[in-house]
Amino acid sequence: MVDETGLGDHLADLAASGQRCAVPPAAERIRARGDQRRRRRQAVLTSGGVVLTTALAMGILSPAGFGPQPAPAAVRPTAPGTSWFVPPTPAPGEEYASEFGYVYDGVLLEGNTVQVTVKQLRTGVVHKVAVPAQTPVEVKQVADGKPGDMRLGELLGRLGTGPRWVFAVDYDSEGRIQSLREAFWLTVK
């Protein structure tokens, strides 16, 4: 006897529909995985771009360091007491170039000048510089957690305690220090 209600066809359609919803076709699975990979890649590129931009802005990385590098030239050993330090120079269109380093051993010299020792954070090169005592310094942790502006001469007592605070030291195009900014997020406790 032939079923005239169409129940058999309806049940067959329902079974096919349930099978499609339970197991997506191969094309849908491939498209979903591709979308997932694209979202992950975009998230990585976005976060990597933020980190790279921050590192470039803080002077930790240099755009000149990307790509193939030439072999280092043979260098003659320097005489004892000479420094390997070369002041950073501002990029074209920039007013200052910065280096991150520990600033310590502040000593007041004659003529209202302060001599400090700077140990570069990236390379470990240590050098001494003499700067005016009126050089502006942005501080936070050095001033007991109170953010503000001070002069280098006011910090001599605190800077004499050894390499404890990290500063961004700003140099002009002639290699002179123009200001210091405490990098309190890098401060050693």
Side-chain angles (χ1 to χ4, degrees):
M1 181 164 146
V2 175
D3 185 17
E4 293 184 16
T5 61
L7 183 60
D9 291 336
H10 184 64
L11 288 175
D13 288 342
L14 188 60
S17 171
Q19 190 176 17
R20 270 196 319 269
C21 292
V23 178
E28 289 179 24
R29 285 193 307 257
I30 291 169
R31 190 175 309 114
R33 275 191 246 128
D35 288 343
Q36 191 177 33
R37 278 193 302 268
R38 190 179 70 247
R39 283 191 303 271
R40 271 187 279 179
R41 183 172 182 262
Q42 185 64 33
V44 167
L45 289 174
T46 302
S47 65
V50 169
V51 169
L52 178 62
T53 303
T54 304
L56 287 171
M58 292 181 2
I60 295 173
L61 290 178
S62 168
F66 301 137
Q69 300 294 321
V75 178
R76 287 185 168 164
T78 58
T82 59
S83 174
W84 291 89
F85 173 71
V86 176
T89 55
E94 296 290 323
E95 189 174 357
Y96 300 114
S98 297
E99 72 167 321
F100 280 96
Y102 292 102
V103 177
Y104 57 99
D105 289 343
V107 177
L108 184 63
L109 302 175
E110 34 181 283
N112 204 18
T113 303
V114 174
Q115 178 180 316
V116 292
T117 302
V118 178
K119 179 179 181 183
Q120 288 180 323
L121 198 61
R122 191 170 44 107
T123 63
V125 172
V126 177
H127 59 95
K128 291 184 183 275
V129 292
V131 295
Q134 295 302 314
T135 302
V137 182
E138 293 178 25
V139 294
K140 183 174 180 181
Q141 299 299 328
V142 177
D144 299 323
K146 299 176 187 112
D149 294 330
M150 298 181 81
R151 300 293 176 194
L152 188 58
E154 298 175 79
L155 295 173
L156 288 181
R158 294 187 182 247
L159 294 179
T161 59
R164 181 172 174 194
W165 289 289
V166 177
F167 287 88
V169 183
D170 299 322
Y171 291 86
D172 65 10
S173 59
E174 295 178 12
R176 296 177 302 213
I177 294 177
Q178 296 298 313
S179 65
L180 291 100
R181 294 172 287 122
E182 183 182 3
F184 60 90
W185 59 91
L186 297 173
T187 301
V188 177
K189 299 269 182 197

